[in-house]
Amino acid sequence: MLITWLLFAYAGLAGADDLHPHDVVERFFAELPGSWDGQAIETPVGPVDYPIMFHGCEGGVIAGVADLSVSDHYWRFWRSDGDLRLTFMSTFRGNRQPVELVVADVAENMIHFHAPELALLTLSAGLIEPNLEIRVYHHQQPHVYIRLTRSGKAVSERARAENRSQACVDLRQP
């Protein structure tokens, strides 16, 4: 908690654009857990409500699953050798193959990822107060834009536990 406060104090003194890339990643990791609500504003099928709850999972993983009407989206942020990684999977059209993304750059509060095994996919995610913003690109062209804010909705412990058990599944395991 003290680290999070210090990061915000530093951001307030230095300005968000002056944060060191490591600080942007640490702030993102610290602030991501919790309930978020909003929309995938731009998608191939039009706007879609996008409620998601991110959880701290074993091994320092932060994971969430958005249960959408057209598919489920699994987000799993984790570290390997100190570097941030993202495993993402959309179940659209029956897909069960996750994609692993690595950090390409960190700039202006946004973490930019690319998928070495799927060159067409790039993604940026960041906390732009008061929002969590995610932009997905296919062949460097905008594909999906998600804007979320903290949800004020009450969630039962049972619903939270069920969501956590679904979100914290390691997508890389068969």
Side-chain angles (χ1 to χ4, degrees), residues 91-109:
T91 61
F92 187 69
R93 292 188 177 164
N95 179 60
R96 291 287 176 202
Q97 184 65 41
V99 176
E100 188 174 315
L101 297 101
V102 297
V103 173
D105 186 30
V106 179
E108 299 179 16
N109 272 353

Side-chain angles (χ1 to χ4, degrees), residues 53-135:
M53 188 181 309
F54 285 99
H55 303 271
C57 305
E58 287 184 27
V61 171
I62 305 295
V65 60
D67 183 4
L68 310 174
S69 60
V70 294
S71 66
D72 293 338
H73 287 180
Y74 292 82
W75 299 86
R76 184 176 179 83
F77 295 91
W78 52 284
R79 291 184 170 115
S80 176
D81 298 325
D83 294 327
L84 183 62
R85 305 267 196 253
L86 166 60
T87 303
F88 173 78
M89 184 176 72
S90 170
T91 61
F92 187 69
R93 292 188 177 164
N95 179 60
R96 291 287 176 202
Q97 184 65 41
V99 176
E100 188 174 315
L101 297 101
V102 297
V103 173
D105 186 30
V106 179
E108 299 179 16
N109 272 353
M110 296 298 284
I111 305 167
H112 304 275
F113 295 88
H114 73 98
E117 303 297 319
L118 188 61
L120 72 91
L121 180 63
T122 56
L123 180 147
S124 63
L127 296 166
I128 312 298
E129 292 298 329
N131 301 318
L132 167 61
E133 295 193 7
I134 301 171
R135 295 179 184 267

Side-chain angles (χ1 to χ4, degrees):
M1 203 63 185
L2 176 61
I3 292 172
T4 301
W5 182 85
L6 289 172
L7 286 173
F8 279 115
Y10 177 72
L13 292 173
D17 294 337
D18 295 336
L19 282 178
H20 185 276
H22 173 77
D23 296 333
V24 171
V25 170
E26 290 305 312
R27 178 177 172 249
F28 182 80
F29 226 73
E31 294 300 313
L32 190 58
S35 296
W36 296 85
D37 226 351
Q39 277 195 328
I41 300 165
E42 298 169 11
T43 77
V45 296
V48 176
D49 288 340
Y50 209 97
I52 188 167
M53 188 181 309
F54 285 99
H55 303 271
C57 305
E58 287 184 27
V61 171
I62 305 295
V65 60
D67 183 4
L68 310 174
S69 60
V70 294
S71 66
D72 293 338
H73 287 180
Y74 292 82
W75 299 86
R76 184 176 179 83
F77 295 91
W78 52 284
R79 291 184 170 115
S80 176
D81 298 325
D83 294 327
L84 183 62
R85 305 267 196 253
L86 166 60
T87 303
F88 173 78
M89 184 176 72
S90 170
T91 61
F92 187 69
R93 292 188 177 164
N95 179 60
R96 291 287 176 202
Q97 184 65 41
V99 176
E100 188 174 315
L101 297 101
V102 297
V103 173
D105 186 30
V106 179
E108 299 179 16
N109 272 353
M110 296 298 284
I111 305 167
H112 304 275
F113 295 88
H114 73 98
E117 303 297 319
L118 188 61
L120 72 91
L121 180 63
T122 56
L123 180 147
S124 63
L127 296 166
I128 312 298
E129 292 298 329
N131 301 318
L132 167 61
E133 295 193 7
I134 301 171
R135 295 179 184 267
V136 180
Y137 302 89
H138 282 182
H139 300 290
Q140 306 300 319
Q141 298 300 311
H143 182 65
V144 172
Y145 172 42
I146 302 166
R147 184 185 306 140
L148 307 173
T149 57
R150 286 280 178 199
S151 175
K153 295 178 186 172
V155 179
S156 73
E157 282 305 313
R158 181 174 181 227
R160 186 179 309 279
E162 287 175 4
N163 185 278
R164 184 180 190 282
S165 107
Q166 184 182 14
C168 289
V169 170
D170 189 347
L171 300 172
R172 298 170 298 159
Q173 300 296 321

